[in-house]
Amino acid sequence: MSSSSRISAKLLERQLEGGHMSRRDFMKFCAIVATAIGMDASFGPTVAAALETKKRPSVIYMHGAECTGCTEAILRAVDPYVDVLIMEVISMDYCETIMAAAGHSANEALEKAMANPEGYYCTIEGAIPTRDGGLWGQVGGETMLSLFSRVAGKAKGVIAMGTCASYGGIQAAAPNPSHAVSVGEALAPLGISPINISGCPPNPINYIGTVVHLLTKGMPELDDVGRPKLFFGSTVHDKCPRRKHFDAGEFAPSFESKQAREGWCLHLLGCRGPYTYNNCPTAQFNQTNWPVRAGAPCIGCSEPGFWDLLAPFNRDVRMKGE
């Protein structure tokens, strides 16, 4: 093990001992991540060893046209805890939402992170405005289009965090005055094809799991729209606990109905689960809840074309033959 890896492992161990996360909780998280990336839960110690011994990857986290909901989802994650896993396992060297620096100090932090001799990974949250050469979206006087091209162009890999970054999302919804586009579309001239972690917001485990996969197993297999099949390989409908009612033709007539409370299918009330690829029913947010379990229909937020192609969200969207 290199000296830097030993330091990283000691820092993580110190955080664990300091009460931020018990060793037991950390191993539980590693088992969750192992399962999320296609391993058996018994491979948790393998994931733990990778996180503790590999040199922490430098991550530059950029914010484009977005609501910061994807970052907020990560910050509010309970398992894993952001302070240990993002600040110690991953070296988050630039993130405007959580960094103390501002102005010139922030710009200096960015340039320093980009000069890391070990390289860095670039995560971009939000769509990228392209109207008038990108003038409709700027950070520190530089257009997002120019800034992200400069940062992502030198990165070891690029992750598009959230549906806005992955496919344009709400930022690209009509009338789209800023001509916002996805990270992949905006940076295509540079030959960049990002890993798309879609969702509005995405489950933090899908982001953390992707980073862990890159560390332990390399590039994950992607679907035809750039999402890791590990997390987006099946539809919400496939794993939905209300599926048995769908198969039986039992549909809730309204959200206030007894049938809805008893778990009948919400498809007639606008649920897009059959057409949405995501692991919401199995991963859940903070391993606790997800929209359908909370009584709301899936609105297809992880799909290309969200928002425009799926709105309005309260209409019957059954396909022929259903």
Side-chain angles (χ1 to χ4, degrees), residues 70-239:
C70 301
T71 303
E72 294 292 343
I74 296 175
L75 295 180
R76 281 161 172 71
V78 175
D79 189 359
Y81 293 93
V82 67
D83 60 341
V84 174
L85 297 169
I86 297 298
M87 303 307 293
E88 294 299 337
V89 176
I90 301 171
S91 180
M92 186 76 79
D93 294 329
Y94 182 89
C95 180
E96 294 153 4
T97 302
I98 63 175
M99 65 194 299
H104 293 299
S105 297
N107 288 335
E108 291 173 2
L110 176 59
E111 297 302 326
K112 182 178 180 180
M114 291 179 63
N116 187 332
E118 300 293 334
Y120 60 88
Y121 291 92
C122 177
T123 297
I124 299 176
E125 176 180 336
I128 302 178
T130 61
R131 185 171 180 175
D132 297 331
L135 289 177
W136 284 50
Q138 301 184 47
V139 178
E142 184 176 2
T143 67
M144 293 174 181
L145 179 60
S146 171
L147 176 62
F148 297 172
S149 296
R150 182 163 61 88
V151 176
K154 298 178 181 179
K156 296 168 65 176
V158 177
I159 296 176
M161 182 63 170
T163 296
C164 293
S166 298
Y167 310 121
I170 294 176
Q171 312 305 325
N176 191 8
S178 69
H179 297 177
V181 300
S182 68
V183 171
E185 183 175 346
L187 303 184
L190 300 178
I192 293 175
S193 297
I195 299 174
N196 293 325
I197 309 297
S198 61
C200 190
N203 192 316
I205 196 68
N206 296 349
Y207 177 66
I208 298 296
T210 296
V211 174
V212 170
H213 195 286
L214 288 170
L215 282 173
T216 59
K217 303 173 70 174
M219 176 67 76
E221 183 181 1
L222 307 179
D223 65 13
D224 58 358
V225 289
R227 299 173 298 196
K229 288 186 176 180
L230 294 165
F231 314 117
F232 301 94
S234 61
T235 67
V236 168
H237 184 66
D238 289 335
K239 305 293 184 180

Side-chain angles (χ1 to χ4, degrees), residues 230-231 233-244 273-274 276-284 290 292-293:
L230 294 165
F231 314 117
S234 61
T235 67
V236 168
H237 184 66
D238 289 335
K239 305 293 184 180
C240 183
R242 296 176 185 252
R243 173 66 185 270
K244 61 183 180 182
T276 302
Y277 286 82
N278 212 330
N279 60 351
C280 299
T282 52
Q284 304 188 63
W290 67 292
V292 172
R293 183 177 178 183

Side-chain angles (χ1 to χ4, degrees), residues 32-50:
I32 292 172
V33 171
T35 301
I37 64 176
M39 298 177 173
D40 186 86
S42 61
F43 282 86
T46 302
V47 172

Side-chain angles (χ1 to χ4, degrees), residues 37-74:
I37 64 176
M39 298 177 173
D40 186 86
S42 61
F43 282 86
T46 302
V47 172
L51 294 179
E52 292 174 329
T53 61
K54 284 185 176 288
K55 182 174 292 186
R56 292 181 299 156
S58 175
V59 176
I60 294 177
Y61 197 112
M62 312 297 297
H63 291 80
E66 38 77 28
C67 68
T68 318
C70 301
T71 303
E72 294 292 343
I74 296 175

